[in-house]
Amino acid sequence: MRHCQVADPESSGHLTTGVETGGLHFQSTLRAARDALPASARQLLPPFHQLGLGAVPDIQEQLTRAIETGAAESLRESLEDSMGRARLLSESGVGAGAFLGAVPCMQSLRFTHECFTTALRIRLGLPHPALAGIRRCDCGEELPEGIAAGQHLLRCSRGGERTLTHDGIRDALYFILRDSGYSVRREARGIFPLREGETEGRVMDLVAADPQGGAAPSG
């Protein structure tokens, strides 16, 4: 349902005129439902006396988005640890978990069972059974309890997994840009001026130029 409209606009005005003060059960129920909405959702609703007099495009979608956004913000504010707030903010972004719902219609969209389970546990904030009983990383850092242990392993530079992940993302973007018609260089030097003490300068992962002119992404 994407519109809010009743079948008989002529009669609906009489039914809803007294909703703000009426004592009928449906009137008090409507007021209670409205008052339970977060402020961002309440302001999307037309006045009660206008309900049914015209269509409100996409009202259900807008209300749902406002309610879910308000719930996520309330949950984030209630969290005491900064890691939990940061994780919730990241995972509530548009498309943040879309890869878990991708239809595996080709090999490049498929996970191994172990990788999918790990990705899903990270998404849901669940501990990793494979880490049970392990108290210290190979880098020497003591692993905390719960999901924080897995978070450390994702960013730890020991073993090379982080570098492999970085290079894989860089290369995927390289091929996307190249196939889109950009001129792309990987690991480019000479883009930034040398800072004090530097001899070679910083490396840009990717530098892209649009042959047709205009701005091109880099990073």
Side-chain angles (χ1 to χ4, degrees):
M1 182 177 66
R2 299 179 64 83
H3 294 77
C4 178
Q5 188 175 31
V6 297
D8 186 1
E10 294 297 329
S11 62
S12 63
H14 298 293
L15 287 173
T16 57
T17 299
V19 170
E20 289 289 358
T21 57
L24 296 177
H25 178 69
F26 86 92
Q27 294 172 331
S28 59
T29 300
L30 278 175
R31 291 197 299 271
R34 177 199 59 191
D35 295 342
L37 294 172
S40 57
R42 286 199 301 271
Q43 66 184 11
L44 297 173
L45 289 174
F48 279 135
H49 68 273
Q50 294 181 6
L51 287 177
L53 301 181
V56 182
D58 301 325
I59 185 63
Q60 182 175 350
E61 180 179 341
Q62 294 180 52
L63 285 173
T64 301
R65 185 185 303 114
I67 292 170
E68 291 179 346
T69 300
E73 291 176 350
S74 297
L75 177 59
R76 187 168 65 248
E77 292 173 358
S78 69
L79 296 175
E80 297 181 356
D81 63 301
S82 58
M83 187 188 74
R85 291 194 297 271
R87 192 176 68 84
L88 183 59
L89 179 63
S90 173
E91 295 187 357
S92 59
V94 177
F99 71 100
L100 289 173
V103 179
C105 56
M106 60 182 68
Q107 186 62 39
S108 60
L109 297 177
R110 295 175 184 172
F111 277 95
T112 63
H113 175 75
E114 292 78 9
C115 287
F116 184 83
T117 301
T118 300
L120 190 59
R121 285 185 171 276
I122 292 173
R123 173 73 180 171
L124 298 177
L126 299 175
H128 301 277
L131 300 180
I134 300 176
R135 292 291 175 261
R136 190 174 298 276
C137 177
D138 285 346
C139 70
E141 182 171 332
E142 186 173 348
L143 296 179
E145 297 288 341
I147 64 171
Q151 295 294 323
H152 168 78
L153 296 181
L154 285 174
R155 65 177 185 270
C156 182
S157 59
R158 184 68 177 263
E161 287 84 358
R162 188 176 69 175
T163 300
L164 291 174
T165 300
H166 166 275
D167 292 349
I169 295 173
R170 178 205 61 199
D171 292 345
L173 290 173
Y174 170 84
F175 289 116
I176 290 173
L177 289 168
R178 188 195 65 179
D179 293 345
S180 299
Y182 288 96
S183 173
V184 195
R185 287 188 295 158
R186 281 179 285 195
E187 303 293 326
R189 295 186 182 273
I191 306 299
F192 295 110
L194 291 176
R195 294 182 294 189
E196 184 177 355
E198 288 184 338
T199 57
E200 295 184 339
R202 288 167 287 171
V203 176
M204 290 285 286
D205 291 329
L206 292 172
V207 177
D210 185 354
Q212 305 299 322
S218 62

